[in-house]
Amino acid sequence: MARSGAEPIPAGRATGGTGPARLRERFLQGESVEAGVRTSILHSWRRSQSLGLSPDQSDLPFRGDFDPDERIIRAAVPVLDRLQSRFAGSAMNISVADASGTVLLRRFGEASLARSLPAIQSVPGFVFAEQVAGTNGIGLALAERQLIRVYGAEHFAERSQGSACRALPLRDLLSGRIEGVLCFGYPRSAEDEVLDTVIRKAAEAIERRLLGQSSARERALLRSYLDTGAEAAAGLHHRVGVDELAFELRPRDRAILMEQAAELISHAQRAAVDVSLPDGRRVTLLSRPMTSGSGVEGFAVEAVLPGPSPRDPFAIPHQVDEPPGRPAELAVLPATPPSGHLPGAAPGPAAVGITTAGVDGATDDQLGSPVAARGLVLVGEPHVGTYALAARRRLELLSEAGARIGTTLDVRRTAQELAEAAVPRLADFVTIDLPEAVLRGEESADPRTDLRRTVVHGIRDDCPFSPVGKQVEYGPATPQLRCLADGQAVLEPDLKAAAGWFAQDPEHSEQLLSHVHSLIAVPLVARGVVLGVAGFYRAQDPAPFGDDDRSLAQELATRAALSIDNARRYTRERTMVLALQRSLLPHGLPDQDAVEVAHRYLPAESDVGGDWYDVIPLSGTRIGLFVGDVVGHGMLSAATMGRLRTAARSFAELDFPPDEVLTHLDNLVARLDREDPVSDGGGIIGATCLYAVYDPTSQRCTMARAAHPPPALVHPDGNVSFPDLPAGPPLGLGGLPFEAAEIPLPEGSQLVLYTDGLIEDRHRDVDVVLDQLRGALAHPERSPEETCQAVLDTVAPAHPGDDIALLVARTHALDPHQIATWDLPADPARVSEVRAGAMRQLSDWGLDEAAFAAELMLSELVTNAIRHGAGPIRVRLLHDRTLICEVSDTSNTAPHLRRAATTDEGGRGLFLVAQLAQSWGTRYTPEGKVIWAECGLDGV
């Protein structure tokens, strides 16, 4: 096994049938070889097979008409001569091919090797593109557009089985375009890791020589400009060089002129344009063609500054930091070019030059100012301006994409933003496929088989892409699956030649080819997680995608993938928090007749908070209504809300009045703050709360709030008011009192409790929102469910930034005929009278079967009140879903349940009550206490 780079290369025919030759045979027979063949080689085999190439073919296309003076040849000859000297005496075969795979140069370490090899491997002119030669060094380097290695039987053709090769693309450093390929061919026994370094250094040398040729052309243009400028300089009254212009202008102003100059050169026409600088001045840029003495054709761009009056020295006003406006459109000048200078553009690129020079050109009258100055800004060939302009636009696109992608934490929206940023400035159509698991916020187990079309965006709607929502499947040789396997962008300049892509679904592919012609497939990978794949298609622009486009698409996809992963993680966390939040909220409403209740919980779009509500049945047919809000968002707030709601329910079921319940909650929140290791005792937890207790026997409601918005009260006549309750401090401050207020609630009234997310919004005035709420509630005929929906439809913000909890309760009154009351002094002799009256009342209610238990409980409770309490004593029976026996007195002494010993004469009364009653307890009132016992009526 020989290792080259990051991929192990099987060496030769290994025993047991595991060598590359055996793997290749298995592949040609249709067997699976994914586990034994390098990804790049396997993709190339599949493409070769889909093209119908035969491993036995020995002939290749031959081109004898290539130009022996091509730029790549002139740049490569000296480098290949040095390589030939270095490998003298070896069996090394060194070749240079152009961008189409045609071999232009051959060199051999041993001269006799050229005579022993077949012409296909020794004579320039043969084409080794993958489409015609199958898997080989030159063709695969052009297809993969990076350094590749092909070893022995990894070649598709039989003729190359005994050799190995390394090949590396050669690029024009100015444009980034691939100009050709440098390839080393050698026997398999000569495999050496050092060859990687040698071929890279040789390629760099060739690329530097290509750039040097461009620099020479630019220097020739500059010399020509200077010669012309020296002759015309005497005609101007005032002049300024570029160095003086740069000294006076801020770098931002100079950059504006340079960018516009590059754009003028790229247009390759005589033109003039007025450029507005941030301080309000206007500078005219003139573009004119010129030709060097050696025949290099290019353009020069000069800046013309309107001068001051002849008596004032030249001065440039103070600059201000404002964004530059867009320059005026190009205006073609009617003047003819100077003698000996021809318009046009040479095809070869040259390096952009920024040069200091003298003045040249128009007179003061032509410029429309008393004294004008002119200086050279830029000189170069049109393609140079095109490259510079393209580079600037790529940077602008990346900058704009950084601001446009990731504005939300929604996976689908973020993917859509990537597509919108790329169309039309990079691609004409963009498709994005994400696994279903990623859309749910999870990691996909196999993103290659779980892809679903998430985004289709383009310049038109008629392109026959798979629709959004459909599951998409890609074959193993398609660019999309190849990029997912390699983790790198895959460029298919010509989709018609992408046989693997075409063979997957010929009918659908043919429809697409009538609309698009070039593709870049890019994996969406962030933090090691594969999130999906993006496809960038070109249709309108006849030029295919290039390597610069691939790099740009890769950069865009990388940035977008991070935003998509952030959105995915947020979706997962939000789903978890929302699930926790909903699990901690009431799952149903208790059975009771005091109020008719409806509720809503609406989580915030950005994050889930700690809003909550609760409905708690209390003794004496009363009902407790809670609504609260824990400060903050996320898991901590949801967990704190659960603890707070549990504690609130416990305090309420102990029959504490509302102000005392809030006091206990205040102490709890303060303790949670002190115990939280994150807060370090500094107090990060806070909450607001409103607690209301409604008594249907008196039709009165007692409420207290801790910095929570007051409730809305809808009277039976439709009048809506907001009771003026004492505000109280937020929970957690500690040491401050809470006050309760009691208000009447006639039967049929609606009590509306809500959290601040309903009414507080930075884009809306609270008073206006309260008026909207008043209008939505002014319909007493609506049921609580209808009221909830109406409030959310008319009052809730379209995109809530905070959670909303809403609780609507319509009050009912307990029929007076279901209430029986007796007042008696603290006299044991009166117990029998109360007992007899209670039995008659139970008989009237048809509760004879409950009479025995009720009589015993009532007797024990009244006796305890007379013996241990203080008069006067009141007895009350309530006939609701259960039978409730209440005995009140003016003492604050609470009874305690205890187990009496066998020798005790008393102490068994409350034990009997507890055994007979469904539940029992004590609640305190301003006048004393109430001991109650509830008896079930299920069997009655």
Side-chain angles (χ1 to χ4, degrees), residues 40-118:
S40 59
I41 298 299
L42 181 59
H43 289 164
S44 181
W45 283 0
R46 287 170 173 164
R47 293 194 296 268
S48 301
Q49 190 179 57
S50 63
L51 288 166
L53 300 179
S54 171
D56 301 323
Q57 73 178 63
S58 57
D59 58 329
L60 290 178
F62 180 79
R63 284 184 52 215
D65 58 346
F66 62 86
D67 184 2
D69 196 37
E70 284 190 26
R71 294 177 63 240
I72 186 83
I73 294 179
R74 286 186 281 115
V77 164
V79 179
L80 262 62
D81 290 342
R82 290 196 297 271
L83 289 173
Q84 184 177 24
S85 175
R86 172 170 182 159
F87 292 110
S90 70
M92 181 67 71
N93 181 346
I94 309 165
S95 59
V96 169
D98 63 14
S100 67
T102 303
V103 175
L104 305 179
L105 292 172
R106 290 275 192 186
R107 293 289 190 276
F108 301 95
E110 186 176 343
S112 60
L113 185 63
R115 296 188 293 272
S116 63
L117 292 175

Side-chain angles (χ1 to χ4, degrees), residues 612 626-631 640 644-645 647-648 651 658-673 683-691 704-708 727-738:
W612 57 283
F626 268 111
V627 67
D629 183 3
V630 176
V631 173
T640 303
L644 193 60
R645 174 179 171 253
F651 294 142
D659 53 336
E660 290 188 26
V661 168
L662 295 185
T663 299
H664 288 296
L665 291 177
D666 182 47
N667 295 333
L668 172 66
V669 173
R671 185 170 67 254
L672 292 177
D673 247 350
I684 63 169
I685 299 174
T688 66
C689 184
L690 172 63
Y691 180 37
R705 64 186 180 119
H708 199 85
L731 298 178
L733 292 184
L736 298 175
F738 297 92

